[in-house]
Amino acid sequence: MVEARYEPPTAWFSSRSSSVQGADPEEYAYAYLVTSPRVFNYKFSPASFWYLYSVDRKLKAMIAEVNNTFDERRLYFLPFNMNQPGETIREKNDDCSPHSSRANDPGRIFKHCWSKDFHVSPFASRKGGYTLLAQDPLRWSPSDSVRGGGSTVVDIEATLSSSKNRKKLIARLWSTTEPLDPALMSYLDQTRFICSWWWVGLMTFPRILFEALSLSFRRKLHIWYRPEVKPTTIGRTATTEEIILSSIFHKYLEHLIYHVQTPVTIQYTPAGPMSQQWTFHSFPNFKDTVNSKSPAPTSTEAPDPVSPVTAPTYEFHVLTPAFYSRLASFYSLKDALASEMLAPEAEENRTVYAASKKEELYHILLEAEAKAEALAPPHACTPAASKEKVGSLRRYHIWINPASLLDQLGWTLVKRLRRPPERGMYPAPGLPRLRATTQTQAKSPQAEPKASSSPSSPPPETTAFQISSPNAPSHPLDSFVQRTCNPSSQSAYRRAVLRLFLARHLAQGSVRLLRFYLIVVNLCFGVMGVWVAGRMKVESER
């Protein structure tokens, strides 16, 4: 389906990802969209193509919007290159060199080549590149038709190449009939059209699954484990639990930066397509920034505060909402940052992007956590803390109050069910049986001499990250919530974390599947209650 519509350029660009940064929104007044329609409020389009036109309706750029089955999205901004001659799709040459293209009208045929950095298929790695060849739908002519007949208004061809510049897949999308204008169609024509095409959008995802199973079991193709997204990619939609944890982590990060001993600026970007970037500044007192061994300043004037411009800037960009659920699963902040931000085994496993200063940011946050814990008063959710604050009467009150009993039970369950998440396995094979085989081979005695044959070689990076003990002090988020949040926020946080932990233990990590289990259990109890009530009624009548 083809949709042409106009949106204010500034609003249109602001609703897209960072892929369009650097472009002037005022240059593109019109957008012509080629995508799949939304049916019954459901839409899944593996690829959508935006034609961006100027005020005089000249094609200036395109955006290839690619979606995968993991609810992740990548927008490739492709500016029009006037120095690159065009060519017809029938006489194409996939080499992007201008010398290899045949002379043609450069305003009617759009061509662009770019590198791939988004995981789409489990049968292809994230390396390689794309070649897009598209016909301008507003300037089409019968001679450009691929299949003949002069009705090919939309004609798009995408070629996927490997990192060795070998063609792996060629996909083509073209129109076969004249365009339809809904404003000129009767109600009967619209009804016929919807009845003929309503099932196409709904069957896209099942078709993808069927073909994937066929390639996996019949063709025995190699499966690539899904890497985490890059900063240029839009991560999946956050769940209800991850939204709650995201708001808590936002406050906790601001709390940590308040206790940073040196002047720093941290730019925090939460996960999500419409996330707003937050900038936090730490301005410690002069006594905290001066070395104790250095002589005191002779001037009696107060020192000038360090401006945010001169303070070092660090970026903390959460790439996917999975970071928040994984953060709540680790025993400590140190484990979470080491695994999710540093990820010593592979960059593709990181859920936090911190540019080139991630090690410095790692130590800054850990030092701030240590100072915050040292200065924070004990919270009132433990008997020992209550005794220190108001005596032993308050301690007995906690254990007698039913609400406090439920709170204590909830926090105890959170601590008992907490388990560190599985380490990222990229680039190991994606199938569980293949991953198990790979891990067995890595731990086999034959592999040990290779690791120990060169004593000068550094130890494996996987040993540099050690998980803390389950008996470690309280989780930093748990302690922060207990000290600073009101009872309703504490309850919401506790329920969200418990749902995540129970889903990991009982439902393969899926909260939706856990809710389905609960619905089935409730139905079973309801049916059983009706049956018991019926039996009791029959017995009473006898």
Side-chain angles (χ1 to χ4, degrees):
M1 180 179 178
V2 178
E3 177 186 359
R5 65 186 182 191
Y6 170 78
E7 295 185 41
T10 304
W12 193 92
F13 270 78
S14 62
S15 62
R16 266 63 193 177
S17 72
S18 59
S19 303
V20 297
Q21 287 184 356
D24 185 8
E26 301 297 336
E27 295 182 4
Y28 313 106
Y30 298 94
Y32 192 93
L33 173 63
V34 178
T35 186
S36 300
R38 181 179 298 273
V39 181
F40 301 131
N41 202 27
Y42 172 79
K43 181 181 185 300
F44 176 74
S45 179
S48 301
F49 300 94
W50 298 82
Y51 297 79
L52 304 183
Y53 293 90
S54 60
V55 178
D56 53 355
R57 304 206 175 188
K58 291 184 179 180
L59 183 61
K60 293 296 183 179
M62 286 188 66
I63 291 182
E65 182 177 340
V66 184
N67 301 270
N68 60 16
T69 55
F70 302 99
D71 194 23
E72 298 169 345
R73 182 173 44 161
R74 176 68 166 97
L75 277 72
Y76 295 102
F77 178 69
L78 314 175
F80 188 84
N81 187 4
M82 294 298 297
N83 298 325
Q84 179 173 292
E87 57 185 349
T88 63
I89 298 182
R90 289 180 298 173
E91 301 174 345
K92 62 181 174 56
N93 188 329
D94 287 334
D95 184 5
C96 280
S97 174
H99 302 287
S100 64
S101 304
R102 300 188 181 187
N104 209 323
D105 184 3
R108 191 167 67 246
I109 303 299
F110 182 92
K111 183 176 182 180
H112 200 96
C113 299
W114 71 96
S115 299
K116 177 186 178 184
D117 61 356
F118 178 58
H119 178 80
V120 179
S121 171
F123 306 106
S125 66
R126 203 162 60 177
K127 300 178 181 179
Y130 292 106
T131 300
L132 179 66
L133 201 61
Q135 172 183 286
D136 187 352
L138 300 186
R139 301 185 60 187
W140 72 282
S141 63
S143 61
D144 295 329
S145 176
V146 178
R147 302 298 175 183
S151 60
T152 309
V153 179
V154 176
D155 200 342
I156 303 173
E157 181 174 292
T159 302
L160 172 64
S161 303
S162 65
S163 56
K164 299 180 181 179
N165 201 21
R166 297 177 181 175
K167 298 179 184 177
K168 301 182 65 175
L169 177 67
I170 298 177
R172 173 173 286 171
L173 172 67
W174 71 94
S175 58
T176 57
T177 61
E178 295 292 336
L180 299 177
D181 189 352
L184 303 179
M185 297 174 62
S186 63
Y187 289 108
L188 181 59
D189 294 336
Q190 295 179 9
T191 304
R192 290 176 179 175
F193 178 80
I194 294 176
C195 292
S196 302
W197 291 95
W198 68 270
W199 60 274
V200 176
L202 298 178
M203 292 300 296
T204 301
F205 189 76
R207 284 176 171 178
I208 292 176
L209 293 182
F210 176 78
E211 295 296 335
L213 293 175
S214 177
L215 293 175
S216 176
F217 292 101
R218 294 181 58 185
R219 301 295 181 179
K220 307 295 182 181
L221 293 185
H222 176 77
I223 294 181
W224 293 84
Y225 185 78
R226 183 188 68 86
E228 297 295 344
V229 298
K230 289 190 173 183
T232 54
T233 304
I234 302 176
R236 61 171 175 82
T237 305
T239 62
T240 304
E241 294 75 20
E242 290 168 343
I243 293 176
I244 296 174
L245 295 179
S246 173
S247 61
I248 296 296
F249 178 75
H250 181 105
K251 299 176 183 178
Y252 178 66
L253 183 62
E254 186 176 5
H255 171 72
L256 289 183
I257 298 174
Y258 177 79
H259 292 86
V260 174
Q261 296 296 295
T262 56
V264 297
T265 299
I266 296 181
Q267 297 177 348
Y268 169 62
T269 305
M274 298 295 292
S275 299
Q276 178 184 0
Q277 186 182 76
W278 297 83
T279 302
F280 300 133
H281 305 286
S282 68
F283 298 101
N285 296 329
F286 183 77
K287 295 181 180 179
D288 297 331
T289 59
V290 175
N291 192 333
S292 59
K293 295 183 180 180
S294 59
T298 56
S299 176
T300 57
E301 299 180 358
D304 295 333
V306 181
S307 65
V309 179
T310 59
T313 303
Y314 301 91
E315 183 179 1
F316 195 96
H317 184 185
V318 180
L319 302 178
T320 170
F323 165 76
Y324 303 111
S325 58
R326 295 175 66 87
L327 171 66
S329 302
F330 283 100
Y331 295 130
S332 64
L333 180 65
K334 176 182 177 181
D335 297 344
L337 294 179
S339 176
E340 306 304 312
M341 186 171 67
L342 302 182
E345 66 278 355
E347 181 182 356
E348 289 79 3
N349 296 325
R350 297 172 185 169
T351 59
V352 174
Y353 175 77
S356 59
K357 301 179 181 180
K358 52 183 178 293
E359 290 83 4
E360 298 180 12
L361 179 60
Y362 171 76
H363 292 292
I364 288 175
L365 293 180
L366 291 186
E367 293 175 0
E369 181 202 13
K371 183 175 182 181
E373 290 294 329
L375 297 179
H379 49 80
C381 289
T382 60
S386 301
K387 184 177 179 180
E388 292 179 4
K389 294 179 68 174
V390 294
S392 59
L393 293 179
R394 175 60 178 166
R395 177 183 62 177
Y396 293 109
H397 173 71
I398 287 181
W399 292 105
I400 294 176
N401 189 354
S404 299
L405 279 174
L406 293 178
D407 293 344
Q408 285 290 328
L409 179 61
W411 291 116
T412 303
L413 287 176
V414 166
K415 185 175 182 179
R416 294 294 179 88
L417 295 177
R418 176 172 280 120
R419 294 291 184 275
E422 295 182 1
R423 300 287 299 278
M425 297 303 297
Y426 190 90
L431 291 179
R433 56 181 178 85
L434 296 180
R435 283 200 302 242
T437 304
T438 304
Q439 293 176 354
T440 304
Q441 294 176 356
K443 297 179 181 179
S444 61
Q446 291 81 359
E448 293 180 0
K450 295 182 181 180
S452 59
S453 57
S454 58
S456 60
S457 60
E461 292 186 351
T462 53
T463 60
F465 171 52
Q466 302 293 338
I467 298 293
S468 301
S469 171
N471 298 324
S474 179
H475 192 275
L477 281 185
D478 295 352
S479 302
F480 176 75
V481 170
Q482 294 173 14
R483 292 192 186 103
T484 62
C485 296
N486 54 41
S488 61
S489 298
Q490 293 185 26
S491 178
Y493 168 82
R494 197 165 51 244
R495 289 197 305 267
V497 174
L498 284 176
R499 284 195 294 265
L500 290 173
F501 294 171
L502 290 175
R504 182 174 301 167
H505 285 78
L506 304 176
Q508 302 294 322
S510 175
V511 178
R512 293 183 179 179
L513 186 58
L514 177 65
R515 291 172 178 169
F516 175 75
Y517 288 166
L518 294 177
I519 293 175
V520 172
V521 171
N522 291 332
L523 289 177
C524 292
F525 276 109
V527 172
M528 186 180 299
V530 173
W531 181 81
V532 171
R535 293 292 297 178
M536 293 179 63
K537 183 178 181 181
V538 172
E539 292 294 337
S540 63
E541 292 178 354
R542 290 180 181 179

